[in-house]
Amino acid sequence: ITSPVAFDILPLKLHSFSKSTPTGLDCVGCKRRISAPVITDGGLDKTALTDDVGSEEDLYEDFRSSTHRYGHPGGGGEQLAINELISDGSVVYAEALWDHVTMDDQELGFKAGDVIEVMDATNKEWWWGRILDSEGWFPASFVRLRVNQDEPMEDYPLKVEGGREEDSRRFGMGQTTKDQMRTNVINEIISTERDYIKHLKDICEGYIKQCRKRADMFTEEQLKTIFGNIEDIYRCQKKFVKALEKKFNKDHPHLSEVGSCFLEYQTEFQIYSEYCNNHPNACLELSRLAKVNKYVYFFEACRLLQKMIDISLDGFLLTPVQKICKYPLQLAELLKYTNPQHRDFKDVEAALNAMKNVARLINERKRRLENIDKIAQWQSSIEDWEGEDVLVRSSELIYSGELAKISHPQAKSQQRMFFLFDHQLVCCKKDLLRRDILYYKSRISMDDMEILDVEDGKDKDFNISVKNAFKLHCRDTEEVHLFCAKKPEQKQRWLKAFENERRQVQLDQETGFSITEVQKKQAMLNASKQHHAGKPKAVTRPYYEFLLRQKHPTLPSTLPQQQVFMLAEPKRKPSNFWQNISRLTPFRK
């Protein structure tokens, strides 16, 4: 266990961050502490003494030489302890937090909730483990160590994650009745909420409050980037935990009716969407500040003043991302041990579905925001673009493909590439020689359009014979656009895509999804910079990659934890699959 005592040996050396979860912190798989190049193993770099660190360095020194002892589990010592246990012949178990799906025969696949025997934890990122007869590598941050390594495998689900030993004895963890198991889950929900509130308070008072005192170091815009709307989350969670405690039956915890609390706050929990979307920006900003001595000292001084455990700020800021995705896990476990006759059964069942939807909505919003950069890059690759940017009205590519467009008055047929976004259909023409280059031709607003299925045969409006055709009819102007697909199945895919476009627009209106002007401008600016950097105008690879990424997997509703954001997961091993595919690109027809 690392503590400020270690400073006596290595002056001003920052501790390395462990992936282990400290007791009382709902934080799993956090990133390692941001490393600062000015800190060396031998001590403080001499150049650091010339920096304008002011009182931060003095404060840091005061804590280094003081008698404060902030003991806590975690730190680099836990990984060492795991390996010592393994080398001594002890069996170490970990529980899977997320599914690990892999095609690599050297990796160990598992589902959330599986118990894994850890056989080697030497590497911080990847551990070696075993499930039944299967062995392989798996990401360390996809699991959490079992609270009590000595308990039998079949009794593990009964363990209260944040419970103390006296709680376990008092509530009789060895019992297997449904009421007892429900008691354990209720106690876990209450205890982790209290710990989470303490965690948010430490961030708001220990970091944000101190940062605002230093206007010479932080602008309000910087603080918004680093901390997002975590203060709003703190206020929301304080009200939520009070509501939970009112419903908590201290004498008979299994009789507690907490489902209604989640239903009451399901809408307010959507504020996590803004926080999760901003979190990658926070990590980038912290990485930048970590290269400057005075910020390294300042953040460490804030942590010590607040008597917070030895985790980096980016690790603390990851917790809300994971917290909102843990609610479906806890509610699923609570529903499992709630009798259908229990007064709380229907509310817990409804709460589980509600929190799954919240997690799904947050995940979808994050995906949509990531897509706007791709859309901006796509637009920058189109030649002769005219009019407003796509992002002014749209944020999602629904479908794309080649169609024959029939125009009045000569009923002339033209082959064009069409891109269906929410609210608009963009028409482009392929270059005659370089088929991977597209030219902008026109666009159609979908908000006033009616889609008409056209039977094969002679069309009365255009007085020509058509096959696999459909029309777009404008209700206001009576304008009609006729399109023909090459195959019947292509026509059906387009008709389905138009339905999906209207459904997406309606869903955005209901959920209040929108993209800020700042986000739109930043996406177009980034795309413009990439274009001017000398990237070719060819759209073949970006276009196909864009379409492939649109086919995001459907997440099983029974495993809400799979909706945890990629930023909360470790980087997987790189695959050479797409590298092999890219070699075939020049031969694409």
Side-chain angles (χ1 to χ4, degrees):
I1 297 174
T2 55
S3 72
V5 179
F7 295 152
D8 296 332
I9 303 173
L10 299 176
L12 294 176
K13 178 183 177 183
L14 295 180
H15 307 309
S16 61
F17 174 68
S18 169
K19 288 184 179 295
S20 57
T21 305
T23 301
L25 256 187
D26 187 16
C27 181
V28 183
C30 300
K31 298 179 182 178
R32 292 191 302 276
R33 175 178 288 282
I34 297 173
S35 59
V38 297
I39 305 297
T40 63
D41 287 343
L44 178 65
D45 192 326
K46 297 296 183 182
T47 58
L49 298 175
T50 63
D51 283 355
D52 179 23
V53 292
S55 59
E56 284 73 40
E57 184 177 359
D58 298 335
L59 181 61
Y60 195 95
E61 286 287 349
D62 289 342
F63 276 95
R64 181 183 70 83
S65 58
S66 71
T67 57
H68 289 291
R69 299 292 182 267
Y70 306 131
H72 58 82
E78 184 162 326
Q79 187 180 6
L80 180 62
I82 296 171
N83 284 311
E84 287 179 354
L85 284 171
I86 295 172
S87 61
D88 290 341
S90 300
V91 180
V92 177
Y93 290 109
E95 180 191 12
L97 291 163
W98 297 293
D99 287 6
H100 180 227
V101 181
T102 177
M103 300 294 289
D104 191 334
D105 56 3
Q106 292 188 349
E107 292 184 23
L108 182 67
F110 49 73
K111 291 187 176 183
D114 287 351
V115 177
I116 304 149
E117 180 184 349
V118 181
M119 304 174 70
D120 183 1
T122 306
N123 187 289
K124 291 182 179 180
E125 303 286 344
W126 291 83
W127 290 356
W128 184 270
R130 174 169 58 198
I131 300 178
L132 300 176
D133 297 330
S134 302
E135 293 186 15
W137 296 104
F138 63 90
S141 62
F142 273 48
V143 303
R144 61 179 174 185
L145 293 178
R146 289 173 54 166
V147 178
N148 186 352
Q149 293 291 332
D150 297 328
E151 62 184 321
M153 292 275 286
E154 59 272 15
D155 290 342
Y156 181 64
L158 310 184
K159 190 68 177 179
V160 178
E161 181 184 82
R164 301 184 182 91
E165 288 186 20
E166 65 250 32
D167 295 332
S168 302
R169 289 193 297 268
R170 185 176 63 186
F171 294 122
M173 297 294 286
Q175 298 178 13
T176 58
T177 65
K178 260 196 171 184
D179 286 348
Q180 185 54 58
M181 288 186 258
R182 192 174 199 275
T183 292
N184 297 334
V185 179
I186 290 288
N187 282 321
E188 176 186 357
I189 291 174
I190 297 296
S191 64
T192 54
E193 280 304 313
R194 289 168 178 166
D195 292 332
Y196 182 47
I197 286 294
K198 172 66 167 58
H199 174 84
L200 294 174
K201 179 182 178 182
D202 285 341
I203 294 175
C204 293
E205 296 185 2
Y207 283 99
I208 300 179
K209 189 175 180 181
Q210 297 298 329
C211 288
R212 287 203 172 111
K213 292 179 181 178
R214 296 303 304 266
D216 58 316
M217 293 177 66
F218 301 96
T219 64
E220 276 300 320
E221 185 178 352
Q222 269 184 309
L223 295 182
K224 182 68 176 175
T225 300
I226 295 172
F227 299 101
N229 63 334
I230 199 167
E231 290 176 301
D232 295 334
I233 291 175
Y234 178 38
R235 286 189 284 269
C236 173
Q237 292 295 148
K238 282 197 294 185
K239 292 188 293 182
F240 176 66
V241 77
K242 285 182 181 178
L244 277 179
E245 288 173 341
K246 286 181 181 178
K247 296 288 186 178
F248 180 56
N249 188 325
K250 294 181 180 179
D251 297 327
H252 304 286
H254 68 282
L255 297 178
S256 301
E257 301 175 25
V258 299
S260 59
C261 299
F262 288 92
L263 291 174
E264 181 183 351
Y265 281 84
Q266 60 176 310
T267 303
E268 293 192 46
F269 282 149
Q270 292 182 17
I271 63 174
Y272 277 86
S273 178
E274 179 184 340
Y275 184 86
C276 295
N277 292 332
N278 177 72
H279 188 265
N281 299 328
C283 293
L284 289 175
E285 182 65 16
L286 286 174
S287 297
R288 188 182 68 82
L289 296 181
K291 298 175 183 178
V292 183
N293 267 359
K294 65 178 181 179
Y295 290 101
V296 175
Y297 294 133
F298 180 83
F299 287 137
E300 188 66 3
C302 290
R303 183 185 70 80
L304 293 171
L305 267 177
Q306 194 67 19
K307 301 182 180 180
M308 298 169 72
I309 62 175
D310 186 19
I311 295 180
S312 63
L313 178 55
D314 62 326
F316 285 122
L317 294 177
L318 182 62
T319 310
V321 176
Q322 296 162 325
K323 182 62 176 177
I324 193 64
C325 297
K326 188 174 180 181
Y327 284 136
L329 285 172
Q330 291 178 320
L331 288 169
E333 193 75 2
L334 183 61
L335 184 63
K336 181 179 178 181
Y337 299 122
T338 302
N339 287 313
Q341 295 79 22
H342 197 291
R343 291 174 57 182
D344 200 25
F345 182 83
K346 288 185 178 180
D347 281 348
V348 172
E349 190 175 40
L352 174 58
N353 291 326
M355 295 311 296
K356 282 182 182 178
N357 289 333
V358 169
R360 192 177 295 115
L361 175 63
I362 293 173
N363 192 63
E364 174 65 10
R365 286 183 173 180
K366 181 178 184 296
R367 185 187 66 81
R368 293 282 295 279
L369 285 176
E370 290 172 346
N371 276 347
I372 68 173
D373 288 325
K374 303 183 186 76
I375 293 174
Q377 292 170 14
W378 171 84
Q379 180 185 317
S380 68
S381 70
I382 304 297
E383 298 283 359
D384 301 338
W385 185 269
E386 295 179 6
E388 64 184 16
D389 295 330
V390 177
L391 292 178
V392 171
R393 301 186 63 201
S394 306
S395 62
E396 175 88 345
L397 175 65
I398 308 296
Y399 192 68
S400 64
E402 197 165 356
L403 292 169
K405 182 182 179 183
I406 315 297
S407 303
H408 273 311
Q410 297 89 3
K412 181 181 178 182
S413 175
Q414 296 174 317
Q415 287 295 123
R416 295 287 184 261
M417 280 294 301
F418 289 91
F419 298 85
L420 178 61
F421 296 89
D422 52 312
H423 298 288
Q424 59 185 318
L425 178 68
V426 178
C427 173
C428 295
K429 177 184 177 181
K430 287 184 177 181
D431 186 87
L432 292 176
L433 298 178
R434 291 190 58 183
R435 306 296 285 176
D436 57 348
I437 293 181
L438 297 176
Y439 295 89
Y440 174 84
K441 300 306 292 183
S442 63
R443 76 180 85 192
I444 299 172
S445 175
M446 296 302 300
D447 291 338
D448 300 320
M449 287 295 167
E450 178 184 10
I451 291 83
L452 303 175
D453 190 355
V454 179
E455 294 183 358
D456 292 349
K458 191 169 184 177
D459 181 73
K460 296 180 181 179
D461 293 333
F462 286 79
N463 197 29
I464 59 171
S465 295
V466 295
K467 192 176 182 181
N468 306 322
F470 61 87
K471 291 179 182 178
L472 295 183
H473 171 247
C474 181
R475 302 182 187 92
D476 294 338
T477 64
E478 297 299 325
E479 184 180 5
V480 178
H481 304 272
L482 177 63
F483 302 90
C484 293
K486 291 182 179 179
K487 298 179 180 179
E489 54 267 28
Q490 291 177 345
K491 170 187 171 179
Q492 293 304 317
R493 283 197 287 267
W494 272 105
L495 294 178
K496 184 66 176 177
F498 287 122
E499 291 180 11
N500 292 339
E501 185 271 338
R502 286 294 90 189
R503 192 179 299 114
Q504 185 68 66
V505 170
Q506 183 179 356
L507 181 63
D508 289 347
Q509 292 173 347
E510 292 173 355
T511 59
F513 175 82
S514 63
I515 298 173
T516 65
E517 291 300 320
V518 174
Q519 290 169 330
K520 295 175 184 177
K521 290 179 180 178
Q522 187 61 47
M524 294 306 301
L525 180 62
N526 293 340
S528 177
K529 287 180 179 178
Q530 290 186 13
H531 171 60
H532 291 304
K535 289 199 170 187
K537 271 284 188 177
V539 299
T540 304
R541 278 299 294 166
Y543 166 62
Y544 279 102
E545 287 178 356
F546 186 26
L547 289 184
L548 285 168
R549 291 180 184 178
Q550 292 302 304
K551 299 174 184 177
H552 49 90
T554 302
L555 302 174
S557 59
T558 55
L559 295 172
Q561 66 274 17
Q562 279 197 329
Q563 296 166 3
V564 173
F565 309 103
M566 290 304 295
L567 56 93
E569 298 182 358
K571 292 182 179 178
R572 300 178 185 271
K573 293 182 178 178
S575 170
N576 58 3
F577 175 73
W578 287 112
Q579 295 175 5
N580 296 335
I581 289 295
S582 64
R583 296 194 187 103
L584 303 177
T585 302
F587 303 101
R588 189 188 303 273
K589 291 184 180 180

